[in-house]
Amino acid sequence: MARRRGLRRLLVLLLLTLALVAGGVYSAVFFVQRSETLVSERCTAVVNGKTAELAPDQAVYASLITAVAVQRGLPPRAATIALATAMQESKLRNIEHGDQAGPDSRGLFQQRPSQGWGTEEQIMDPFYATNAFYDALVKIPGYESLEITEAAQRVQRSAFPGAYAQHEQMGRFFASGLSGQTPEAVQCTLRSADAAGDPTAVSDQLAQAYGLSGSAVDRQTLVVEADGSQAWSVAQWAVANAKTLDVTQVDVAGRTWNRTERDGWHESAAPHGQVRITVSPAGTGA
């Protein structure tokens, strides 16, 4: 009888131990999941100790607008003007509707088919719309030295030309970082990737934005040959696109951005002359 009671006590103790272990595992998983949901996703550009901020989806379009300027050989000032304009016109989002001032306005820059900007389908293509904006901007003599409001107004002919000025700092900071003029300026705080990334998709986006191609060294990493400001432009473009392209790490010129660390750029052994963009091997997010 005593032996049976001892076995029962041992069994109860074992069950309690298993319950505590299971509860601990559940609590740990729940904590990780909750901590992921509490992450406030954002992208920032820090220049001279001052910060501008965009939502991740806005940063994607900011990176495209700036990359097109780099591809065309335009100065960062052109990207600043374009970013401030797009923020005022569409909040840096590719919207499918206009307003009372322009009911047929569409896209990042709210361009109008009725004013010769192209078809609605063309205007809704961010790459086309951005090039159309720059095509008009470069025809303005001395646009680089004009005030943001004047340069933007000559292109857009807005009913509220003074409104562009409020976005000048954001435009300057993100243009400076995304053009590669200010290394390490742009970084994004993001939740863990929830899908597997595709290096080919990253390469395709790079080809359109910069006219560059990369080569995959394994299933998760794309290597882009670039140096100097172009390397930093591509690297910060990759960070700005990390959410949509499931990028987990970017290595460039002795520095690394890692999605899970969420605290900016760090010193690393990353070589000069190339940018390494690593995507998620599988979904790891909550």
Side-chain angles (χ1 to χ4, degrees), residues 30 74 76 85-86 89 91 93 114 124 159 173 175 179 182 196 202 220 229 245 256 261 281:
F30 177 77
L74 301 177
T85 302
E89 296 291 352
K91 300 301 181 186
R93 292 186 168 100
S114 62
M124 285 302 299
F173 287 12
S179 67
T182 304
V202 178
Q220 277 78 51
S229 62
L245 294 176
T256 294
E261 293 180 1

Side-chain angles (χ1 to χ4, degrees), residues 14 16 22 27 64 72 79 104 107 123 147 183 191 215 257 279 282:
L14 179 60
L16 286 172
S27 297
L64 174 63
R72 293 175 61 132
D104 64 335
I123 291 169
E147 294 291 330
R191 302 184 187 101
S215 57
W257 173 86
V279 300

Side-chain angles (χ1 to χ4, degrees), residues 69 72-82 133-134 136-148 150-152 154-155:
R72 293 175 61 132
L74 301 177
R77 181 65 174 175
T80 297
I81 296 167
F133 179 88
Y134 286 135
L137 181 66
V138 297
K139 292 176 183 177
I140 301 170
Y143 74 86
E144 302 99 318
S145 59
L146 295 177
E147 294 291 330
I148 288 278
E150 186 173 355
R154 289 196 188 182
V155 175

Side-chain angles (χ1 to χ4, degrees), residues 13-72:
L13 181 60
L14 179 60
L15 290 172
L16 286 172
T17 302
L18 289 173
L20 288 172
V21 170
V25 171
Y26 173 80
S27 297
V29 171
F30 177 77
F31 176 78
V32 170
Q33 291 176 333
R34 180 170 173 77
S35 66
E36 284 291 316
T37 60
L38 291 175
V39 171
S40 177
E41 295 192 311
R42 65 190 184 281
C43 293
T44 57
V46 180
V47 178
N48 295 327
K50 296 181 179 180
T51 303
E53 183 174 314
L54 292 174
D57 65 317
Q58 293 174 309
V60 169
Y61 291 120
S63 71
L64 174 63
I65 289 169
T66 308
V68 172
V70 171
Q71 182 181 162
R72 293 175 61 132

Side-chain angles (χ1 to χ4, degrees), residues 181-215:
Q181 299 304 304
T182 304
E184 304 181 51
V186 176
Q187 72 114 348
C188 295
T189 301
L190 303 170
R191 302 184 187 101
S192 297
D194 58 8
D198 180 3
T200 301
V202 178
S203 184
D204 290 345
Q205 293 291 325
L206 274 170
Q208 183 183 60
Y210 291 95
L212 294 173
S213 61
S215 57

Side-chain angles (χ1 to χ4, degrees), residues 78-101:
T80 297
I81 296 167
L83 289 174
T85 302
M87 176 59 86
Q88 175 58 31
E89 296 291 352
S90 69
K91 300 301 181 186
L92 268 172
R93 292 186 168 100
N94 197 32
I95 56 180
E96 299 181 6
H97 58 80
D99 54 28
Q100 292 182 350

